[in-house]
Amino acid sequence: MAPLRFSANLSWLFPELSGFPARLRAAGSSGFEAAEIGWPYAEPPEALARAAREAGLRVVLINTPPGDREKGENGLGAVPGRQAAFREGLEQAVLYAKALGCSRIHLMAGRVPKGADRTAVRGEMEVVFLENLRHAAEVLAQENLVGLLEPINTRITDPRYFLDTPQQAAAILQKVGRPNLQLQMDLFHWQIMDGNLTGNVREFLPIVGHVQVAQVPGRGEPDSPGELNFSYLFQLLEDEGYTGFVGCEYQPRGEGGLSLAPGKGLWRDTVDRGCLPPHGLRGRAPAPLRRHSRGPELAAFILGDEGPPAGWPVRSCAPATCLWDGEQHD
């Protein structure tokens, strides 16, 4: 059972820094091994690729361009009359993905047109989306890339977004029937629209190519107050065999706000890299640095509520990733 791996979503994290190259450097310095960028298109791809290399980061996800934001567009994949613009944006996304070494592109569905009845236009929009997805699958296959479909909740985040439940997205993927198109599981959106996360994770994980997380309802860090028990959910993902990255797509508290960054977080990634604060996150001295535990036990240990779970092998801290002091721990 492989431990979860986390990627820093740089469209959300490090908001105090201007520009993605600076955020890439900050993510690398915080111990992340991967990053994702919603829309990287304001920066030259070569500059981003260079910054990622210098930071020691893999870029694991980007989105297709949103379209005309001034006109309220938020993706074009299912928008009637915008097929040509979607395909142009796809070509741009592929160019960036190749430059960045990024294997996954979120193919944004877009919004129901203003003034239109969702039910009335659903059939037409699905036909457009299927057509564009079949085209995208062929383009992406030529470059060995994967396209992702992400349902976005229509109760809080985007009331007019076309693709809003995992069931709808899975049905569309089944109709397209291309192996290089997969589902993007954002637990924030899934909880708001459908709940039943245990059942939905187990049902849809076989077709999931990427996961993202944030607390509900405020879209804060996973350890902030809210509806979701992330110790349980992270353990569930591991138990079900998920081996991809988990994107940290949340609103941080203060500068950076990296509750899942190595050395600062709730989850095993903290301990895998051997970085704990010298006196624990709540003031108690930590036990020897260890790894490989069950999720709830690990969370309690890192938070300082309990001692370490039995069975952890000792592991020393690597100075390059330890954020708490300048000394190597034995």
Side-chain angles (χ1 to χ4, degrees), residues 122-200:
R122 181 185 179 104
E124 179 187 6
M125 293 189 71
E126 182 172 301
V127 168
V128 171
F129 203 21
L130 291 172
E131 174 189 335
N132 281 334
L133 291 175
R134 293 188 180 104
H135 170 79
E138 293 179 3
V139 171
L140 296 176
Q142 294 172 8
E143 305 294 344
N144 197 30
L145 300 174
V146 172
L148 299 174
L149 274 61
E150 180 188 17
I152 294 176
N153 81 81
T154 50
R155 290 180 173 149
I156 296 176
T157 301
D158 194 337
R160 291 193 294 114
Y161 204 76
F162 171 70
L163 192 69
D164 64 352
T165 68
Q167 291 82 5
Q168 180 191 11
I172 288 173
L173 285 171
Q174 185 175 24
K175 290 178 182 179
V176 178
R178 303 298 173 88
N180 66 330
L181 298 185
Q182 299 175 351
L183 186 59
Q184 186 166 319
M185 176 194 292
D186 189 319
L187 294 175
F188 171 78
H189 297 305
W190 287 30
Q191 168 69 3
I192 292 170
M193 290 304 298
D194 196 60
N196 187 33
L197 289 183
T198 299
N200 283 336

Side-chain angles (χ1 to χ4, degrees), residues 207-220:
I207 59 171
V208 166
H210 191 72
V211 173
Q212 293 174 326
V213 296
Q215 186 57 273
V216 178
R219 205 161 190 173

Side-chain angles (χ1 to χ4, degrees), residues 14-35:
F14 307 103
E16 70 278 6
L17 299 179
S18 177
F20 289 126
R23 295 185 184 191
L24 284 163
R25 290 190 290 270
S29 297
S30 297
F32 281 104
E33 62 177 288

